[in-house]
């Protein structure tokens, strides 16, 4: 599994970011070929006055090659060219292989 992680610093206008992100950008992202799943949050907990990030997005791909193919596709070009339309604070983009994974042990009551 390979992850794409996008961190969004505080935008100039939270409402404008949120409206555009949910109505325009996410529908573009959902068209990425080879994406196994994605999730985002516009409500990062623990934000104090000096916090760096407003929003986070993550997507799952089979491997690094699948992510590269998605980003090089026409749909990937649309997603990437759309970012400046809403991310006035920019975006920090990371990708990485998942080295380990586990589930919480079932609780016994």
């Amino acid at each position: 599994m390979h992850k794409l992680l996008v961190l969004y610093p505080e935008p100039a206008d939270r409402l404008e970011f949120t409206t555009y992100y949910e109505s325009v950008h996410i529908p573009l992202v959902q068209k990425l070929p080879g994406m196994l799943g994605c999730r985002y949050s516009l409500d990062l907990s623990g934000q104090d006055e000096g916090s760096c990030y407003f929003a986070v997005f993550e997507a799952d791909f089979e491997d690094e090659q699948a992510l590269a193919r998605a980003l090089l596709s026409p749909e990937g070009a649309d997603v990437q060219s759309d970012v400046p339309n809403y991310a006035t604070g920019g975006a920090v983009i990371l990708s990485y292989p998942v080295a380990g994974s586990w589930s919480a042990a079932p609780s016994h009551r």
Side-chain angles (χ1 to χ4, degrees), residues 12-107:
D13 183 318
R14 285 181 169 209
L15 180 58
E16 190 173 296
F17 178 105
T18 300
T19 301
Y20 189 93
Y21 190 73
E22 293 182 327
S23 66
V24 177
H25 192 71
I26 290 298
L28 291 175
V29 168
Q30 290 172 327
K31 295 177 184 177
L32 284 173
M35 186 173 64
L36 301 174
C38 68
R39 62 215 57 80
Y40 70 93
S41 180
L42 304 174
D43 186 22
L44 300 180
S45 52
Q47 287 189 333
D48 55 21
E49 200 155 316
S51 181
C52 301
Y53 300 109
F54 167 70
V56 62
F57 169 86
E58 66 178 82
D60 307 323
F61 291 87
E62 180 81 25
D63 52 32
E64 188 175 15
Q65 294 77 22
L67 171 58
R69 284 190 300 273
L71 295 177
L72 291 171
S73 71
E75 296 86 352
D78 289 345
V79 166
Q80 293 173 79
S81 67
D82 188 50
V83 173
N85 294 329
Y86 66 91
T88 56
V92 175
I93 302 168
L94 306 166
S95 74
Y96 54 92
V98 175
S101 180
W102 60 89
S103 297
S107 63

